Amino acid sequence: MPKIVNHDSRRIQLAEAAWRIIRSKGIDEVSVRNVAEEAGMSLGSLRHYFATHSELLAFSMRLVSDRVESRLRSMEWNGGPRQAMEAIIAELVPLDDDRLAECQVWFAFAGKAIADPSLGAMLREVHDSLHALFRQLTDDLIRLDLTKPGIDAELEAKRMHAMVDGLVVHGVTCPERLTGERIKEVVSYHLDRILR
Amino acid sequence: MPKIVNHDSRRIQLAEAAWRIIRSKGIDEVSVRNVAEEAGMSLGSLRHYFATHSELLAFSMRLVSDRVESRLRSMEWNGGPRQAMEAIIAELVPLDDDRLAECQVWFAFAGKAIADPSLGAMLREVHDSLHALFRQLTDDLIRLDLTKPGIDAELEAKRMHAMVDGLVVHGVTCPERLTGERIKEVVSYHLDRILR
């Protein structure tokens, strides 16, 4: 079905144009007109892929979580549970330019979601699946008897999720203070503190 | 100098009108025209207090950190260092409607700052002073020999700061999941894990 593949790849190309505008000019500048121009496409062609501005925005936001999810799914496990935990968190935080771009775009959407219920619902959906992931990872570590005494699975999952998202915020707002190296050190320190 | 007081209180009144617009319609809707209307003031009067849109935005953002800072300064200490730490963190996270409003407004500005260097510089300034606060609190706990063995002051300060800002993000984006009670539980759990 080459036509469908082409349709999807055009939508991704347009969403990536939206990402570039978000990063350089801000999310308020993401109009169908500006995105068409950035992607080198006519407004009429864009309308073929996205009927509305909201649809374009929703797809552009979803592309961030889809990319993270697809990297997490295709991960190859070598090393123990600690290495797995580090590798998973590494996919969520701005350790390199690609992931910094994703985090910036995500963050811009999160700011906009405060007064936009449909973006807010999408954010909460991703929040819930990340929370479930952190809870499952914590349960695994406890089950394998790798954690220090006194760990509470639910509070630990909430704390780790908050720490990771806080590192995203700091990496996005203060990239020269919270470099990739610094972020890795904090994550590693956290794992030292919870694991035997 | 009653005239100056009046000038300041008018600026605050306008900034609070900007906050209401950010929370209900989004930060893109904060124009001088919309803010004047929301505050029940003429555009000409507004121009007397804020010459430009950027000045109004900067003042509205600064009002969040000024309010937090003034609450922190006027805190009365009773109880030990752990209670102090909990009380300080309580001023930074969305535990009630007023603080949720501040966090939402802050978060909207942070999203906008990605493509706005002057807002970004203000964010980094506040980040640095909060980091210094967390570092000082951690140093105090270590000096008083209240921490568990193996605490690294700098990494602990970075981790706690990230956790607190992550709780702000989750409290803002998912208020029905991260209620004030849940946030307090996570903070208390964190302090249990680092203190003897």
Short mmCIF file of all heavy atoms in Angstrom, two decimals, chain A residues 25-26 28 104 107 110 112 114-115 123-124 127-128 149-152 156 159 161-163 165-166 169-170 173-174 176-177 189-190 193, chain B residues 24-26 28 104 107 110 112 114-115 123-124 127-128 149-152 156 159 161-163 165-166 169-170 173-174 176-177 189-190 193:
data_model
loop_
_atom_site.label_atom_id
_atom_site.label_comp_id
_atom_site.label_asym_id
_atom_site.label_seq_id
_atom_site.Cartn_x
_atom_site.Cartn_y
_atom_site.Cartn_z
N LYS A 25 10.29 29.64 16.74
CA LYS A 25 9.43 30.82 16.87
C LYS A 25 8.40 30.71 17.97
O LYS A 25 7.76 31.70 18.33
CB LYS A 25 8.70 31.08 15.54
CG LYS A 25 9.65 31.39 14.38
CD LYS A 25 8.84 31.65 13.12
CE LYS A 25 9.74 31.69 11.89
NZ LYS A 25 8.99 31.37 10.67
N GLY A 26 8.17 29.48 18.46
CA GLY A 26 7.17 29.31 19.51
C GLY A 26 5.91 28.65 18.97
O GLY A 26 5.60 28.74 17.78
N ASP A 28 2.82 29.33 19.32
CA ASP A 28 1.75 30.21 18.81
C ASP A 28 1.89 30.44 17.31
O ASP A 28 0.93 30.85 16.65
CB ASP A 28 1.77 31.62 19.44
CG ASP A 28 2.26 31.64 20.86
OD1 ASP A 28 2.42 30.56 21.44
OD2 ASP A 28 2.49 32.74 21.38
N GLN A 104 11.64 19.64 24.12
CA GLN A 104 11.21 21.05 23.92
C GLN A 104 9.79 21.10 23.36
O GLN A 104 8.96 21.88 23.81
CB GLN A 104 12.17 21.76 22.97
CG GLN A 104 13.50 22.09 23.61
CD GLN A 104 14.46 22.72 22.60
OE1 GLN A 104 14.48 22.35 21.43
NE2 GLN A 104 15.27 23.67 23.06
N PHE A 107 7.26 19.98 25.89
CA PHE A 107 7.12 21.00 26.92
C PHE A 107 6.26 22.17 26.43
O PHE A 107 5.43 22.70 27.17
CB PHE A 107 8.52 21.46 27.29
CG PHE A 107 8.59 22.15 28.61
CD1 PHE A 107 8.10 21.54 29.75
CD2 PHE A 107 9.16 23.41 28.72
CE1 PHE A 107 8.17 22.18 30.98
CE2 PHE A 107 9.24 24.05 29.94
CZ PHE A 107 8.73 23.44 31.07
N ALA A 110 2.79 21.06 26.58
CA ALA A 110 2.31 20.98 27.96
C ALA A 110 1.92 22.37 28.45
O ALA A 110 0.92 22.54 29.14
CB ALA A 110 3.38 20.37 28.85
N LYS A 112 0.85 24.81 26.59
CA LYS A 112 -0.37 25.18 25.87
C LYS A 112 -1.58 24.41 26.41
O LYS A 112 -2.71 24.91 26.38
CB LYS A 112 -0.19 24.86 24.37
CG LYS A 112 -1.19 25.54 23.47
CD LYS A 112 -0.85 25.32 22.01
CE LYS A 112 -1.96 25.86 21.11
NZ LYS A 112 -2.06 27.33 21.16
N ILE A 114 -2.55 23.83 29.29
CA ILE A 114 -3.20 24.40 30.47
C ILE A 114 -4.58 24.95 30.12
O ILE A 114 -5.53 24.82 30.88
CB ILE A 114 -2.31 25.50 31.09
CG1 ILE A 114 -1.12 24.83 31.75
CG2 ILE A 114 -3.07 26.37 32.09
CD1 ILE A 114 0.00 25.77 32.08
N ALA A 115 -4.68 25.57 28.95
CA ALA A 115 -5.97 26.14 28.55
C ALA A 115 -6.54 25.44 27.31
O ALA A 115 -7.34 26.02 26.58
CB ALA A 115 -5.82 27.64 28.31
N LEU A 123 -1.99 14.66 27.15
CA LEU A 123 -0.89 14.70 28.14
C LEU A 123 -1.13 13.71 29.26
O LEU A 123 -0.22 13.02 29.71
CB LEU A 123 -0.82 16.09 28.79
CG LEU A 123 0.08 17.15 28.25
CD1 LEU A 123 0.06 18.34 29.19
CD2 LEU A 123 1.52 16.65 28.09
N ARG A 124 -2.38 13.68 29.74
CA ARG A 124 -2.70 12.80 30.88
C ARG A 124 -2.60 11.34 30.48
O ARG A 124 -2.17 10.50 31.27
CB ARG A 124 -4.09 13.13 31.43
CG ARG A 124 -4.05 14.40 32.29
CD ARG A 124 -5.35 14.64 33.02
NE ARG A 124 -6.41 15.06 32.11
CZ ARG A 124 -6.52 16.31 31.65
NH1 ARG A 124 -5.66 17.24 31.99
NH2 ARG A 124 -7.51 16.62 30.85
N HIS A 127 1.01 10.62 30.54
CA HIS A 127 1.41 10.58 31.96
C HIS A 127 1.06 9.23 32.57
O HIS A 127 1.88 8.61 33.25
CB HIS A 127 0.69 11.70 32.73
CG HIS A 127 0.93 11.68 34.20
ND1 HIS A 127 0.20 10.90 35.07
CD2 HIS A 127 1.86 12.30 34.98
CE1 HIS A 127 0.65 11.06 36.31
NE2 HIS A 127 1.66 11.90 36.27
N ASP A 128 -0.16 8.76 32.31
CA ASP A 128 -0.60 7.50 32.91
C ASP A 128 0.22 6.32 32.41
O ASP A 128 0.56 5.43 33.19
CB ASP A 128 -2.09 7.26 32.61
CG ASP A 128 -2.98 8.21 33.39
OD1 ASP A 128 -2.46 8.92 34.27
OD2 ASP A 128 -4.20 8.24 33.12
N PRO A 149 16.01 -1.65 51.72
CA PRO A 149 14.80 -1.84 52.52
C PRO A 149 13.96 -0.57 52.59
O PRO A 149 14.49 0.54 52.46
CB PRO A 149 15.34 -2.17 53.92
CG PRO A 149 16.79 -2.44 53.78
CD PRO A 149 17.25 -1.78 52.53
N GLY A 150 12.67 -0.73 52.77
CA GLY A 150 11.77 0.41 53.02
C GLY A 150 11.23 1.09 51.78
O GLY A 150 10.60 2.15 51.87
N ILE A 151 11.47 0.51 50.60
CA ILE A 151 10.94 1.11 49.36
C ILE A 151 9.43 0.88 49.29
O ILE A 151 8.96 -0.23 49.52
CB ILE A 151 11.61 0.45 48.12
CG1 ILE A 151 13.10 0.77 48.07
CG2 ILE A 151 10.90 0.86 46.83
CD1 ILE A 151 13.46 2.10 47.49
N ASP A 152 8.69 1.93 48.96
CA ASP A 152 7.25 1.82 48.73
C ASP A 152 7.04 1.93 47.21
O ASP A 152 7.38 2.96 46.61
CB ASP A 152 6.53 2.97 49.46
CG ASP A 152 5.03 2.95 49.20
OD1 ASP A 152 4.61 3.20 48.04
OD2 ASP A 152 4.28 2.69 50.15
N GLU A 156 7.58 5.32 45.24
CA GLU A 156 8.85 5.32 44.51
C GLU A 156 8.61 5.59 43.03
O GLU A 156 9.36 6.36 42.40
CB GLU A 156 9.55 3.96 44.70
CG GLU A 156 10.97 3.93 44.18
CD GLU A 156 11.84 5.04 44.76
OE1 GLU A 156 11.90 5.17 45.99
OE2 GLU A 156 12.43 5.81 43.98
N ARG A 159 7.80 9.22 42.67
CA ARG A 159 8.98 10.05 42.88
C ARG A 159 9.92 9.98 41.67
O ARG A 159 10.42 11.01 41.19
CB ARG A 159 9.73 9.57 44.14
CG ARG A 159 11.06 10.27 44.32
CD ARG A 159 11.63 10.02 45.69
NE ARG A 159 12.24 8.70 45.84
CZ ARG A 159 13.36 8.48 46.55
NH1 ARG A 159 13.97 9.49 47.16
NH2 ARG A 159 13.85 7.27 46.67
N HIS A 161 9.22 9.15 38.55
CA HIS A 161 8.56 9.80 37.41
C HIS A 161 8.70 11.33 37.54
O HIS A 161 9.03 12.02 36.57
CB HIS A 161 7.09 9.37 37.40
CG HIS A 161 6.32 9.80 36.19
ND1 HIS A 161 4.99 9.55 36.04
CD2 HIS A 161 6.69 10.49 35.08
CE1 HIS A 161 4.57 10.06 34.89
NE2 HIS A 161 5.58 10.62 34.28
N ALA A 162 8.47 11.86 38.76
CA ALA A 162 8.61 13.31 38.97
C ALA A 162 10.05 13.75 38.74
O ALA A 162 10.31 14.75 38.06
CB ALA A 162 8.16 13.69 40.38
N MET A 163 11.01 12.98 39.27
CA MET A 163 12.41 13.35 39.08
C MET A 163 12.77 13.39 37.59
O MET A 163 13.41 14.33 37.11
CB MET A 163 13.32 12.36 39.81
CG MET A 163 14.79 12.71 39.66
SD MET A 163 15.87 11.34 40.14
CE MET A 163 15.57 10.16 38.81
N ASP A 165 10.75 13.78 34.97
CA ASP A 165 10.13 14.91 34.28
C ASP A 165 10.73 16.24 34.73
O ASP A 165 10.82 17.19 33.94
CB ASP A 165 8.61 14.89 34.46
CG ASP A 165 7.96 13.94 33.44
OD1 ASP A 165 8.68 13.45 32.55
OD2 ASP A 165 6.75 13.70 33.52
N GLY A 166 11.16 16.33 35.98
CA GLY A 166 11.87 17.53 36.44
C GLY A 166 13.20 17.70 35.70
O GLY A 166 13.58 18.83 35.34
N VAL A 169 12.40 19.17 32.40
CA VAL A 169 12.16 20.62 32.52
C VAL A 169 13.49 21.37 32.63
O VAL A 169 13.73 22.35 31.93
CB VAL A 169 11.30 20.93 33.78
CG1 VAL A 169 11.19 22.44 33.98
CG2 VAL A 169 9.93 20.31 33.66
N HIS A 170 14.37 20.88 33.50
CA HIS A 170 15.64 21.59 33.70
C HIS A 170 16.55 21.47 32.47
O HIS A 170 17.23 22.43 32.12
CB HIS A 170 16.34 21.07 34.96
CG HIS A 170 15.56 21.37 36.20
ND1 HIS A 170 15.89 20.86 37.44
CD2 HIS A 170 14.46 22.14 36.42
CE1 HIS A 170 15.02 21.31 38.34
NE2 HIS A 170 14.14 22.07 37.74
N THR A 173 14.90 24.01 29.99
CA THR A 173 14.95 25.44 30.32
C THR A 173 16.39 25.90 30.60
O THR A 173 16.70 27.07 30.39
CB THR A 173 14.06 25.78 31.53
OG1 THR A 173 14.45 24.99 32.66
CG2 THR A 173 12.59 25.52 31.23
N CYS A 174 17.24 24.99 31.05
CA CYS A 174 18.63 25.36 31.41
C CYS A 174 19.61 24.37 30.82
O CYS A 174 20.35 23.70 31.57
CB CYS A 174 18.79 25.39 32.93
SG CYS A 174 17.58 26.41 33.78
N GLU A 176 22.44 24.57 29.50
CA GLU A 176 23.87 24.70 29.79
C GLU A 176 24.19 24.32 31.23
O GLU A 176 25.33 24.01 31.55
CB GLU A 176 24.41 26.08 29.40
CG GLU A 176 23.86 27.26 30.16
CD GLU A 176 22.36 27.43 29.94
OE1 GLU A 176 21.83 27.10 28.86
OE2 GLU A 176 21.70 27.88 30.89
N ARG A 177 23.15 24.32 32.11
CA ARG A 177 23.38 23.87 33.49
C ARG A 177 23.13 22.37 33.60
O ARG A 177 23.90 21.64 34.19
CB ARG A 177 22.44 24.61 34.45
CG ARG A 177 22.92 26.03 34.76
CD ARG A 177 21.73 26.94 34.82
NE ARG A 177 22.02 28.31 35.15
CZ ARG A 177 22.27 29.26 34.25
NH1 ARG A 177 22.32 28.96 32.96
NH2 ARG A 177 22.48 30.50 34.64
N TYR A 189 22.85 8.53 40.39
CA TYR A 189 22.83 8.76 41.84
C TYR A 189 21.51 8.26 42.43
O TYR A 189 21.50 7.58 43.47
CB TYR A 189 23.00 10.26 42.11
CG TYR A 189 22.84 10.68 43.55
CD1 TYR A 189 23.81 10.39 44.51
CD2 TYR A 189 21.70 11.37 43.96
CE1 TYR A 189 23.65 10.79 45.83
CE2 TYR A 189 21.54 11.77 45.28
CZ TYR A 189 22.52 11.47 46.21
OH TYR A 189 22.35 11.86 47.52
N HIS A 190 20.42 8.56 41.74
CA HIS A 190 19.12 8.10 42.25
C HIS A 190 19.07 6.57 42.32
O HIS A 190 18.62 6.01 43.32
CB HIS A 190 17.98 8.63 41.36
CG HIS A 190 16.63 8.20 41.85
ND1 HIS A 190 16.06 8.71 43.00
CD2 HIS A 190 15.74 7.27 41.39
CE1 HIS A 190 14.89 8.13 43.22
NE2 HIS A 190 14.67 7.26 42.26
N ARG A 193 20.86 5.22 45.16
CA ARG A 193 20.18 5.43 46.45
C ARG A 193 19.04 4.44 46.67
O ARG A 193 18.63 4.22 47.80
CB ARG A 193 19.61 6.85 46.55
CG ARG A 193 20.61 7.98 46.40
CD ARG A 193 21.63 8.08 47.49
NE ARG A 193 21.02 8.16 48.82
CZ ARG A 193 21.71 8.00 49.96
NH1 ARG A 193 22.99 7.72 49.94
NH2 ARG A 193 21.10 8.09 51.10
N SER B 24 -7.37 30.62 31.56
CA SER B 24 -8.64 30.27 30.91
C SER B 24 -8.52 30.13 29.41
O SER B 24 -9.16 29.27 28.80
CB SER B 24 -9.71 31.31 31.26
OG SER B 24 -9.31 32.58 30.78
N LYS B 25 -7.68 30.97 28.79
CA LYS B 25 -7.64 30.96 27.32
C LYS B 25 -6.28 30.60 26.76
O LYS B 25 -6.13 30.33 25.56
CB LYS B 25 -8.04 32.34 26.78
CG LYS B 25 -9.46 32.74 27.14
CD LYS B 25 -9.79 34.11 26.56
CE LYS B 25 -11.07 34.67 27.14
NZ LYS B 25 -11.13 36.13 27.04
N GLY B 26 -5.25 30.67 27.59
CA GLY B 26 -3.91 30.34 27.11
C GLY B 26 -3.05 31.58 26.98
O GLY B 26 -3.56 32.70 26.81
N ASP B 28 -1.14 32.65 24.64
CA ASP B 28 -1.16 33.36 23.35
C ASP B 28 -2.21 34.46 23.35
O ASP B 28 -2.17 35.37 22.51
CB ASP B 28 -1.53 32.44 22.17
CG ASP B 28 -1.05 31.03 22.33
OD1 ASP B 28 -0.30 30.76 23.29
OD2 ASP B 28 -1.46 30.19 21.51
N GLN B 104 0.56 26.99 37.27
CA GLN B 104 0.06 26.96 35.89
C GLN B 104 0.64 28.12 35.09
O GLN B 104 1.04 27.95 33.94
CB GLN B 104 -1.47 27.07 35.90
CG GLN B 104 -2.17 25.80 36.35
CD GLN B 104 -3.68 25.98 36.44
OE1 GLN B 104 -4.15 27.04 36.86
NE2 GLN B 104 -4.43 24.96 36.06
N PHE B 107 4.28 27.59 34.40
CA PHE B 107 4.45 26.54 33.42
C PHE B 107 4.16 27.04 32.00
O PHE B 107 4.85 26.70 31.04
CB PHE B 107 3.50 25.40 33.80
CG PHE B 107 3.86 24.10 33.20
CD1 PHE B 107 5.13 23.57 33.35
CD2 PHE B 107 2.92 23.38 32.48
CE1 PHE B 107 5.46 22.36 32.77
CE2 PHE B 107 3.25 22.16 31.90
CZ PHE B 107 4.52 21.65 32.05
N ALA B 110 7.07 28.96 30.96
CA ALA B 110 8.21 28.08 30.66
C ALA B 110 8.06 27.49 29.26
O ALA B 110 9.03 27.39 28.50
CB ALA B 110 8.32 26.98 31.71
N LYS B 112 6.51 28.89 26.77
CA LYS B 112 6.72 29.99 25.83
C LYS B 112 8.20 30.36 25.74
O LYS B 112 8.68 30.81 24.70
CB LYS B 112 5.91 31.21 26.29
CG LYS B 112 5.72 32.27 25.21
CD LYS B 112 4.80 33.38 25.70
CE LYS B 112 4.75 34.52 24.70
NZ LYS B 112 4.11 34.14 23.43
N ILE B 114 10.76 28.63 25.48
CA ILE B 114 11.58 27.83 24.56
C ILE B 114 12.01 28.65 23.35
O ILE B 114 13.13 28.54 22.88
CB ILE B 114 10.78 26.57 24.12
CG1 ILE B 114 10.70 25.61 25.31
CG2 ILE B 114 11.40 25.89 22.91
CD1 ILE B 114 9.67 24.53 25.15
N ALA B 115 11.10 29.49 22.87
CA ALA B 115 11.43 30.30 21.69
C ALA B 115 11.46 31.79 22.04
O ALA B 115 11.29 32.64 21.16
CB ALA B 115 10.43 30.02 20.56
N LEU B 123 13.74 32.62 33.48
CA LEU B 123 13.55 31.26 34.00
C LEU B 123 14.84 30.72 34.59
O LEU B 123 14.84 30.09 35.65
CB LEU B 123 13.18 30.31 32.86
CG LEU B 123 11.75 30.02 32.53
CD1 LEU B 123 11.70 28.92 31.48
CD2 LEU B 123 10.96 29.58 33.74
N ARG B 124 15.95 30.97 33.90
CA ARG B 124 17.24 30.43 34.37
C ARG B 124 17.68 31.11 35.65
O ARG B 124 18.26 30.47 36.53
CB ARG B 124 18.30 30.57 33.27
CG ARG B 124 18.15 29.49 32.20
CD ARG B 124 19.30 29.48 31.22
NE ARG B 124 19.24 30.63 30.32
CZ ARG B 124 18.42 30.70 29.27
NH1 ARG B 124 17.58 29.73 28.99
NH2 ARG B 124 18.45 31.76 28.49
N HIS B 127 15.69 29.45 38.27
CA HIS B 127 16.24 28.10 38.43
C HIS B 127 17.49 28.15 39.31
O HIS B 127 17.65 27.35 40.24
CB HIS B 127 16.59 27.52 37.05
CG HIS B 127 17.27 26.18 37.13
ND1 HIS B 127 18.63 26.04 37.28
CD2 HIS B 127 16.78 24.92 37.10
CE1 HIS B 127 18.93 24.76 37.33
NE2 HIS B 127 17.83 24.06 37.22
N ASP B 128 18.37 29.09 39.03
CA ASP B 128 19.63 29.17 39.77
C ASP B 128 19.39 29.49 41.24
O ASP B 128 20.06 28.93 42.12
CB ASP B 128 20.56 30.22 39.16
CG ASP B 128 21.12 29.75 37.81
OD1 ASP B 128 20.91 28.57 37.46
OD2 ASP B 128 21.75 30.57 37.12
N PRO B 149 23.85 7.93 55.42
CA PRO B 149 25.20 7.92 54.84
C PRO B 149 25.15 7.94 53.30
O PRO B 149 24.18 7.47 52.71
CB PRO B 149 25.79 6.59 55.32
CG PRO B 149 24.88 6.06 56.37
CD PRO B 149 23.54 6.70 56.17
N GLY B 150 26.19 8.46 52.70
CA GLY B 150 26.35 8.39 51.25
C GLY B 150 25.67 9.50 50.47
O GLY B 150 25.60 9.46 49.23
N ILE B 151 25.14 10.52 51.16
CA ILE B 151 24.49 11.63 50.45
C ILE B 151 25.56 12.52 49.79
O ILE B 151 26.55 12.87 50.43
CB ILE B 151 23.67 12.50 51.45
CG1 ILE B 151 22.49 11.73 52.03
CG2 ILE B 151 23.20 13.80 50.80
CD1 ILE B 151 21.27 11.63 51.17
N ASP B 152 25.33 12.85 48.52
CA ASP B 152 26.21 13.80 47.82
C ASP B 152 25.44 15.12 47.72
O ASP B 152 24.36 15.17 47.11
CB ASP B 152 26.53 13.24 46.43
CG ASP B 152 27.39 14.20 45.62
OD1 ASP B 152 26.89 15.29 45.24
OD2 ASP B 152 28.55 13.85 45.36
N GLU B 156 22.28 15.54 45.38
CA GLU B 156 21.03 15.51 46.14
C GLU B 156 20.21 16.78 45.87
O GLU B 156 18.98 16.72 45.70
CB GLU B 156 21.34 15.38 47.64
CG GLU B 156 20.13 15.12 48.49
CD GLU B 156 19.33 13.90 48.02
OE1 GLU B 156 19.93 12.82 47.85
OE2 GLU B 156 18.12 14.05 47.78
N ARG B 159 18.75 16.47 42.47
CA ARG B 159 17.68 15.48 42.43
C ARG B 159 16.41 16.03 43.09
O ARG B 159 15.31 15.88 42.56
CB ARG B 159 18.14 14.21 43.15
CG ARG B 159 17.03 13.20 43.33
CD ARG B 159 17.55 11.85 43.77
NE ARG B 159 17.87 11.78 45.18
CZ ARG B 159 17.62 10.72 45.96
NH1 ARG B 159 17.06 9.64 45.43
NH2 ARG B 159 17.98 10.69 47.22
N HIS B 161 15.53 19.18 43.58
CA HIS B 161 15.00 20.26 42.75
C HIS B 161 14.23 19.67 41.56
O HIS B 161 13.11 20.12 41.24
CB HIS B 161 16.17 21.13 42.28
CG HIS B 161 15.78 22.38 41.57
ND1 HIS B 161 16.70 23.23 41.02
CD2 HIS B 161 14.57 22.94 41.29
CE1 HIS B 161 16.07 24.24 40.45
NE2 HIS B 161 14.79 24.10 40.60
N ALA B 162 14.79 18.64 40.92
CA ALA B 162 14.11 18.00 39.79
C ALA B 162 12.80 17.35 40.26
O ALA B 162 11.75 17.51 39.62
CB ALA B 162 15.01 16.96 39.13
N MET B 163 12.84 16.65 41.39
CA MET B 163 11.63 16.00 41.89
C MET B 163 10.53 17.04 42.16
O MET B 163 9.38 16.85 41.77
CB MET B 163 11.93 15.21 43.16
CG MET B 163 10.70 14.51 43.72
SD MET B 163 10.91 13.96 45.43
CE MET B 163 11.00 15.53 46.31
N ASP B 165 10.18 20.09 40.87
CA ASP B 165 9.64 20.66 39.63
C ASP B 165 8.84 19.62 38.85
O ASP B 165 7.86 19.97 38.18
CB ASP B 165 10.76 21.28 38.79
CG ASP B 165 11.09 22.71 39.27
OD1 ASP B 165 10.36 23.22 40.14
OD2 ASP B 165 12.08 23.30 38.79
N GLY B 166 9.22 18.36 38.95
CA GLY B 166 8.42 17.30 38.33
C GLY B 166 7.05 17.20 38.98
O GLY B 166 6.04 17.00 38.29
N VAL B 169 4.98 19.91 37.53
CA VAL B 169 4.49 19.53 36.20
C VAL B 169 3.30 18.57 36.33
O VAL B 169 2.26 18.77 35.70
CB VAL B 169 5.60 18.84 35.37
CG1 VAL B 169 5.04 18.32 34.06
CG2 VAL B 169 6.75 19.80 35.13
N HIS B 170 3.44 17.56 37.16
CA HIS B 170 2.37 16.57 37.28
C HIS B 170 1.14 17.15 37.96
O HIS B 170 0.00 16.84 37.59
CB HIS B 170 2.88 15.32 38.02
CG HIS B 170 3.93 14.59 37.25
ND1 HIS B 170 4.68 13.56 37.77
CD2 HIS B 170 4.38 14.76 35.99
CE1 HIS B 170 5.53 13.13 36.85
NE2 HIS B 170 5.37 13.84 35.77
N THR B 173 -0.44 19.33 35.13
CA THR B 173 -1.00 18.63 33.96
C THR B 173 -2.02 17.56 34.38
O THR B 173 -2.92 17.26 33.61
CB THR B 173 0.09 17.98 33.09
OG1 THR B 173 0.89 17.10 33.89
CG2 THR B 173 1.02 19.02 32.48
N CYS B 174 -1.88 17.01 35.57
CA CYS B 174 -2.77 15.93 36.02
C CYS B 174 -3.26 16.19 37.43
O CYS B 174 -2.98 15.42 38.35
CB CYS B 174 -2.04 14.59 36.00
SG CYS B 174 -1.27 14.20 34.43
N GLU B 176 -5.98 15.83 38.96
CA GLU B 176 -6.83 14.85 39.65
C GLU B 176 -6.03 13.60 40.03
O GLU B 176 -6.45 12.86 40.91
CB GLU B 176 -8.09 14.52 38.83
CG GLU B 176 -7.89 13.85 37.50
CD GLU B 176 -7.09 14.71 36.53
OE1 GLU B 176 -7.19 15.97 36.57
OE2 GLU B 176 -6.33 14.13 35.74
N ARG B 177 -4.86 13.40 39.40
CA ARG B 177 -4.01 12.28 39.80
C ARG B 177 -3.04 12.73 40.89
O ARG B 177 -2.86 12.06 41.89
CB ARG B 177 -3.22 11.74 38.60
CG ARG B 177 -4.08 10.88 37.68
CD ARG B 177 -3.67 11.12 36.24
NE ARG B 177 -4.37 10.32 35.28
CZ ARG B 177 -5.51 10.67 34.68
NH1 ARG B 177 -6.11 11.79 35.03
NH2 ARG B 177 -6.05 9.90 33.75
N TYR B 189 7.88 11.07 51.68
CA TYR B 189 8.60 9.82 51.37
C TYR B 189 10.06 10.13 50.99
O TYR B 189 10.98 9.47 51.47
CB TYR B 189 7.88 9.10 50.22
CG TYR B 189 8.60 7.88 49.68
CD1 TYR B 189 8.63 6.69 50.40
CD2 TYR B 189 9.24 7.91 48.44
CE1 TYR B 189 9.29 5.56 49.91
CE2 TYR B 189 9.88 6.80 47.93
CZ TYR B 189 9.92 5.62 48.68
OH TYR B 189 10.57 4.53 48.17
N HIS B 190 10.24 11.14 50.18
CA HIS B 190 11.61 11.51 49.78
C HIS B 190 12.44 11.89 51.01
O HIS B 190 13.58 11.44 51.15
CB HIS B 190 11.60 12.66 48.77
CG HIS B 190 12.98 13.04 48.32
ND1 HIS B 190 13.74 12.24 47.50
CD2 HIS B 190 13.75 14.11 48.61
CE1 HIS B 190 14.91 12.80 47.31
NE2 HIS B 190 14.95 13.95 47.97
N ARG B 193 13.54 9.03 52.96
CA ARG B 193 14.61 8.25 52.31
C ARG B 193 15.98 8.91 52.46
O ARG B 193 16.99 8.22 52.32
CB ARG B 193 14.33 8.06 50.81
CG ARG B 193 13.03 7.38 50.46
CD ARG B 193 12.92 5.94 50.87
NE ARG B 193 14.02 5.12 50.40
CZ ARG B 193 14.30 3.89 50.84
NH1 ARG B 193 13.55 3.33 51.77
NH2 ARG B 193 15.32 3.22 50.36
#
